Amino acid sequence: MLGRRGLFTAGSAALVAAMTPMPALAAPAGDPFTLGVASGDPLPEGVVLWTRLAPRPFEPAGGLPKADYPVKWQVAEDERFARVVKDGTATAAAAYGHSVHVDVHGLRPGRDYFYRFRTDRHVSPAGRTRTAPARTAKPERLRFAVASCQNYTDGWFTAHRHLAAEDLDVLFFLGDYIYEGAVSRHGGDRDDASLRLPDTFELATDTLDLYRMRYALYRTDPDLQAAHAAVPWALTWDDHEVEDNYAAAASRHDDVPAGDFLVHRANAYRAYWENQPLRRPRQPAGPDMPLHRKLRFGDLADAYVLDTRQYRTDQACGDGILAGCRQREERGRTVLGPGQRAWLLNGLATSQVRWNLLAQQVMMAECRYGGEAGRLDMDKWDGYPGDRAAILATAARVPGTVVLTGDIHFNYAADLRTDFSRPETPPVAVELVGTSITSGGDGLDVVPKLQQQQRHSPHLRFTNGQRGYVRCELTRDTLRADFRVLPHVTRPGAPITTRATFVSERARPGLVKA
């Protein structure tokens, strides 16, 4: 399993010697690679590599002075770096939290590569990444996983240790990478006596320094580091990277002016970009950050990575799980924003691939919470039925649409219909909602609330309340989804099992239990 410092034992001296010596100017004191390494957004010819220098990660600026550092990087065909194919020098700039983003080009499609960084005498852990197939290729399969929602205080990131052992082409992480609330000295329910966090972690995040330290806390977790070092990630955010249930420029707190909240959002977006393997075109400008994008995997799949927070209309009827909210149906209400919606609909309508993956944050399937009128969640796509109808109408004409979702801390398998009130009509797409990595604690297999939802929403084929992730495989004609779950997260070291498996055919969408 790559990405752990334990790799650099007997062979460390040879590996260090193989790298060109770096300038000693302003060399960081102590190991600067405490936050590990990562790769992301694979292309046929390249991938983004990431690291961040932080010898004392729980201090502002990671314990470094306001100085820039040269960082050497290498990409090799083998894990011992005997066959280096690309290398160069990047700058860990103080203005960007000493983060490093290297957009590597000139690699071969559909290949595994290994990468590492060095500054002065310090060498990072090694990571493994994989480029996408050539655009004209006809891949037989694509293996990926869906994960989200990793509240540090709710438990251990054991699921990431298991993710690191899966043979994946890409991991879609669909929001709530961090949580903005207070963290106690010993990490909440982790109750980790070895962890002695400064009192500043008791503050909710709103400043750039607090956000940087919060990301540093999460990225010191060895299981999360292992998952980042094992596979390229394609990430998007949800709400907790900024504030629970925010909507565009609207805070969840009515007494916070939009101008003040946009300053808060600018800090959050800046820290998100600094701490993720994202290309420079995604770099924020103040409170704005163009995160939605498309990744191509030959002619097998296009993955649309969406943003359902930055451009959405404020939640209808004051937010919440409500019945009889007519405001949600008003013309012009949107969860995607006009620009992103037009981009997505045009991409789907002109698709030339076998499958279209919509990697996004909040549940698209109608989900009724019971009661005579049937209560709906205004924060989900149920609060924005116009956008949902437009996407599903397009999916009805374009076979092979799969919606991948996070946010809700439960597992769901759902058939998507253009009219959810008519269960006799055939599905036009399917949705896989992945549970959380830790959020919500240990969880339960059978949850009465979820059973009630299934009774009122017959298109929900499966529900489950445990922690874990969804492992998927696409072939030319079939989707297979394994719901992988853990028995607990409040203690480390949990085993993982497959709770349920579903398949769906491209030509006839609809989830069937395998």
Side-chain angles (χ1 to χ4, degrees):
M1 201 173 296
L2 295 173
R4 301 301 304 275
R5 195 161 307 281
L7 288 174
F8 291 90
T9 53
S12 294
L15 294 176
V16 171
M19 300 186 76
T20 304
M22 296 297 300
L25 177 64
D31 177 16
F33 294 111
T34 60
L35 308 184
V37 300
S39 69
D41 282 8
L43 301 175
E45 70 281 359
V47 69
V48 179
L49 307 181
W50 175 93
T51 193
R52 178 181 158 204
L53 306 185
R56 296 191 298 278
F58 302 151
E59 297 181 11
L64 291 173
K66 193 175 182 179
D68 297 345
Y69 296 90
V71 178
K72 183 79 173 179
W73 58 270
Q74 287 182 322
V75 176
E77 294 179 332
D78 66 302
E79 57 187 309
R80 293 191 62 81
F81 290 83
R83 300 189 302 277
V84 173
V85 294
K86 294 289 177 181
D87 61 11
T89 302
T91 299
Y96 293 99
H98 297 104
S99 61
V100 177
H101 299 74
V102 180
D103 192 357
V104 182
H105 291 278
L107 302 180
R108 298 172 63 183
R111 293 285 301 271
D112 283 358
Y113 289 95
F114 301 85
Y115 63 95
R116 64 184 180 183
F117 300 89
R118 180 188 174 192
T119 186
D120 192 52
R121 67 185 184 278
H122 301 287
V123 180
S124 77
R128 177 178 57 231
T129 192
R130 182 173 294 171
T131 53
R135 288 174 174 80
T136 57
K138 298 182 180 297
E140 289 298 319
R141 67 191 68 252
L142 175 71
R143 288 175 54 87
F144 62 90
V146 175
S148 67
C149 303
Q150 51 187 30
N151 194 339
Y152 190 92
T153 65
D154 281 359
W156 297 83
F157 293 166
T158 311
H160 279 304
R161 173 63 53 181
H162 295 292
L163 273 167
E166 306 274 13
D167 181 20
L168 303 174
D169 298 301
V170 64
L171 190 154
F172 294 104
F173 194 90
L174 304 179
D176 295 345
Y177 189 95
I178 63 165
Y179 279 70
E180 76 278 25
V183 181
S184 64
R185 188 182 188 195
H186 297 311
D189 286 349
R190 291 191 176 205
D191 195 23
D192 183 1
S194 67
L195 186 69
R196 296 178 178 83
L197 293 176
D199 292 343
T200 48
F201 282 86
E202 294 279 2
L203 301 172
T205 51
D206 56 1
T207 69
L208 183 56
D209 277 346
L210 289 174
Y211 274 112
R212 284 171 171 169
M213 288 189 290
R214 186 62 53 90
Y215 279 100
L217 171 64
Y218 280 57
R219 281 194 168 274
T220 56
D221 183 274
D223 293 338
L224 178 57
Q225 287 192 17
H228 269 299
V231 59
W233 289 36
L235 298 106
T236 189
W237 51 40
D238 191 26
D239 50 350
H240 287 288
E241 287 89 351
V242 182
E243 177 189 82
D244 183 32
N245 276 29
Y246 83 96
S251 167
R252 67 174 299 176
H253 304 291
D254 294 337
D255 59 344
V256 176
D260 291 350
F261 181 70
L262 286 176
V263 174
H264 180 167
R265 197 177 89 172
N267 292 330
Y269 284 9
R270 173 70 167 263
Y272 185 86
W273 183 83
E274 289 177 351
N275 285 278
Q276 303 297 4
L278 294 166
R279 289 185 169 82
R280 289 198 175 273
R282 307 294 160 202
Q283 187 173 337
D288 303 315
M289 182 171 161
L291 190 59
H292 60 280
R293 59 210 189 271
K294 183 174 75 172
L295 300 173
R296 170 67 60 89
F297 298 91
D299 77 337
L300 182 60
D302 280 341
Y304 294 86
V305 183
L306 304 181
D307 175 359
T308 63
R309 285 293 162 191
Q310 186 172 186
Y311 311 111
R312 68 160 63 192
T313 310
D314 202 357
Q315 291 92 343
C317 299
D319 203 2
I321 300 173
L322 308 171
C325 175
R326 300 290 296 274
Q327 186 186 13
R328 75 186 187 97
E329 299 175 356
E330 290 179 355
R331 186 179 180 86
R333 290 186 52 77
T334 176
V335 70
L336 294 174
Q340 184 180 196
R341 181 181 57 210
W343 165 79
L344 174 60
L345 291 175
N346 180 68
L348 294 176
T350 59
S351 174
Q352 297 181 355
V353 296
R354 302 288 294 174
W355 298 87
N356 288 286
L357 308 177
L358 276 56
Q360 55 97 48
Q361 298 83 351
V362 292
M363 192 167 180
M364 184 177 287
E366 183 180 271
C367 187
R368 294 191 174 272
Y369 283 71
E372 293 182 4
R375 295 178 301 137
L376 302 170
D377 191 336
M378 296 302 104
D379 190 57
K380 311 296 187 286
W381 288 75
D382 278 333
Y384 305 87
D387 274 9
R388 178 172 64 194
I391 289 171
L392 295 183
T394 303
R397 303 190 301 270
V398 181
T401 300
V402 179
V403 179
L404 309 174
T405 302
D407 174 67
I408 203 169
H409 309 170
F410 297 121
N411 283 313
Y412 293 86
D415 292 337
L416 299 179
R417 295 183 169 89
T418 54
D419 186 349
F420 289 101
S421 69
R422 299 177 61 197
E424 73 279 6
T425 59
V428 299
V430 298
E431 181 174 19
L432 304 171
V433 181
T435 187
S436 65
I437 295 293
T438 61
S439 302
D442 287 335
L444 297 169
D445 182 10
V446 178
V447 180
K449 179 178 73 172
L450 302 184
Q451 293 178 313
Q452 182 189 55
Q453 291 171 0
Q454 283 189 271
R455 287 195 297 271
H456 291 278
S457 309
H459 50 274
L460 300 182
R461 311 296 293 171
F462 171 71
T463 61
N464 165 270
Q466 293 171 285
R467 310 282 77 86
Y469 54 88
V470 187
R471 181 183 65 194
C472 301
E473 181 175 88
L474 278 182
T475 65
R476 306 293 292 178
D477 298 308
T478 305
L479 163 72
R480 176 189 173 99
D482 299 320
F483 288 86
R484 306 274 279 163
V485 299
L486 305 171
H488 57 79
V489 294
T490 52
R491 306 187 309 279
I496 195 158
T497 58
T498 298
R499 173 62 181 81
T501 297
F502 286 83
V503 295
S504 179
E505 296 178 9
R506 176 180 179 273
R508 295 182 58 189
L511 291 164
V512 178
K513 198 165 186 178

